[in-house]
């Protein structure tokens, strides 16, 4: 096991990460990559059973905390549990999110659906980042890293995706503000924008999804392990270095150029 160690804290302990949305997909893959590299990983998400399945497949130390990231009290409880168990936090992978209802025209989108997507994707990311920031600022030695899961939708929308796209553009603003406000405290923040990683959420792309010209088209996907490897690389940098924005996508997906 090639454990990542902090050079300016206790050299004999593994680094500590919180991964939200760790019960499936990208969150599960990133938790696996971190665990394989020697990190202790706190797994957060709304489904306890799915989190326990993730934990059972990891080789290293884990902590399972059932968390609704849109609830400030549950977020505080998550980071309290991490502090009680480990006494420190080195990384937050801010990954939990929802796409909301698919294929609903903008003028027909229910307010409740808009609220749910914003509360989960944007407010949830803020709450987790704020809680992590507090811990990283207060601990000795100070510092840590926050990596936000953006999306290709942080740059370019899909049809009928106003709520999701709005939140992912908001994540970019959150990333920039965290990067600036974290400077005095050795808190680095970066963002990974992901296009068509192969997960349950993107399985529909293999059957055809709406394009900007109104057609349906099958889109290529990539192995989610390649996303996890990129997050791990970002996480393992010394705090004096930061990948501000990284875009990882299926090479031939319709994004670059005119689609």
């Amino acid at each position: 096991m090639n454990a990542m160690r902090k050079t300016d804290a206790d050299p004999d302990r593994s680094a500590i990460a919180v991964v939200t949305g760790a019960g499936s997909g990208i969150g599960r893959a990133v938790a696996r990559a971190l665990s394989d590299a020697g990190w202790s990983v706190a797994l957060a998400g709304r489904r306890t059973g799915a989190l326990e399945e993730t934990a059972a497949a990891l080789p290293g130390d884990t902590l399972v905390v059932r968390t609704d990231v849109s609830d400030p009290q549950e977020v505080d409880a998550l980071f309290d549990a991490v502090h009680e168990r480990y006494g420190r936090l080195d990384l937050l992978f801010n990954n939990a999110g929802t796409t909301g209802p698919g294929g609903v025209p903008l003028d027909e989108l229910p307010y409740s659906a808009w609220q749910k997507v914003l509360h989960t994707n944007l407010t949830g990311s803020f709450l987790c980042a704020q809680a992590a920031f507090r811990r990283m600022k207060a601990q000795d030695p100070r510092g840590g890293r926050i990596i936000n899961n953006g999306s290709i939708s942080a740059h370019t929308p899909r049809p009928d995706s106003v709520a999701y796209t709005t939140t992912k553009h908001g994540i970019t603003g959150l990333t920039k503000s965290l990067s600036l406000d974290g400077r005095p405290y050795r808190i680095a923040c970066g963002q990974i924008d992901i296009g068509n990683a192969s997960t349950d959420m993107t399985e529909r792309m293999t059957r055809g999804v709406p394009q900007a010209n109104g057609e349906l088209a099958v889109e290529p996907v990539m192995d989610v392990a390649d996303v996890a490897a990129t997050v791990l690389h970002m996480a393992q940098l010394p705090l004096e270095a930061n990948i501000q924005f990284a875009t990882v996508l299926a090479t031939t997906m319709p994004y670059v150029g005119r689609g």
Side-chain angles (χ1 to χ4, degrees), residues 3 5 10 25 46 63 65 74 82 89 92 99 103 122-123 130 136 151 187 190 192 234 236 240 243 245 248 256-257:
R5 310 285 187 179
D10 183 352
R46 289 178 299 147
L63 173 66
V65 185
E74 292 196 19
V82 172
L89 176 62
L92 164 65
T99 59
L122 192 52
T123 301
Q130 183 184 52
M136 293 171 178
S151 170
I187 299 172
I192 182 168
M234 296 170 74
Q236 288 182 318
E240 290 71 28
I243 295 176
F245 293 98
V248 183
V256 177

Side-chain angles (χ1 to χ4, degrees), residues 1-5 11-15 31-41 57-62 232 236:
M1 183 179 296
N2 182 22
M4 181 276 193
R5 310 285 187 179
D12 295 323
R13 64 154 186 86
S14 297
R32 178 58 190 256
L34 290 166
S35 185
D36 284 346
W39 292 65
S40 295
V41 187
L58 302 187
D61 178 49
T62 60
L232 179 63
Q236 288 182 318

Side-chain angles (χ1 to χ4, degrees), residues 6-248:
K6 278 188 66 71
T7 57
D8 56 354
D10 183 352
D12 295 323
R13 64 154 186 86
S14 297
I16 312 303
V18 170
V19 176
T20 66
S24 63
I26 291 168
R28 176 173 284 181
V30 168
R32 178 58 190 256
L34 290 166
S35 185
D36 284 346
W39 292 65
S40 295
V41 187
L43 308 167
R46 289 178 299 147
R47 298 174 297 146
T48 303
L51 295 174
E52 290 175 345
E53 287 179 6
T54 299
L58 302 187
D61 178 49
T62 60
L63 173 66
V64 170
V65 185
R66 192 267 173 206
T67 309
D68 178 348
V69 297
S70 69
D71 185 321
Q73 292 183 333
E74 292 196 19
V75 170
D76 286 344
L78 164 63
F79 286 88
D80 286 347
V82 172
H83 182 72
E84 182 177 351
R85 171 77 167 266
Y86 300 111
R88 175 166 194 93
L89 176 62
D90 300 301
L91 172 70
L92 164 65
F93 181 45
N94 226 349
N95 169 69
T98 180
T99 59
V104 179
L106 185 150
D107 55 314
E108 298 176 14
L109 185 71
Y111 177 64
S112 59
W114 167 269
Q115 274 193 313
K116 181 178 180 180
V117 176
L118 262 70
H119 286 171
T120 301
N121 294 5
L122 192 52
T123 301
S125 292
F126 162 73
L127 290 172
C128 289
Q130 183 184 52
F133 193 102
R134 287 172 178 151
R135 293 294 182 186
M136 293 171 178
K137 179 180 176 180
Q139 63 195 10
D140 183 23
R142 277 179 166 174
R145 190 181 306 273
I146 298 169
I147 300 174
N148 292 325
N149 184 347
S151 170
I152 296 299
S153 293
H155 306 271
T156 303
R158 288 187 177 277
D160 300 328
S161 66
V162 63
Y164 183 77
T165 298
T166 298
T167 61
K168 293 305 182 177
H169 277 65
I171 291 294
T172 299
L174 177 65
T175 297
K176 292 178 178 179
S177 287
L178 287 168
S179 295
L180 180 60
D181 294 346
R183 285 180 182 176
Y185 312 111
R186 299 186 74 243
I187 299 172
C189 182
Q191 179 171 317
I192 182 168
D193 296 324
I194 302 162
N196 291 13
S198 181
T199 66
D200 290 343
M201 185 179 292
T202 59
E203 192 273 335
R204 64 191 174 90
M205 293 177 183
T206 64
R207 304 190 305 271
V209 289
Q211 305 297 305
N213 63 1
E215 295 180 357
L216 282 178
V218 172
E219 293 191 9
V221 295
M222 62 177 170
D223 194 324
V224 70
D226 295 324
V227 175
T230 306
V231 174
L232 179 63
H233 173 62
M234 296 170 74
Q236 288 182 318
L237 290 172
L239 291 178
E240 290 71 28
N242 187 45
I243 295 176
Q244 189 67 65
F245 293 98
T247 302
V248 183

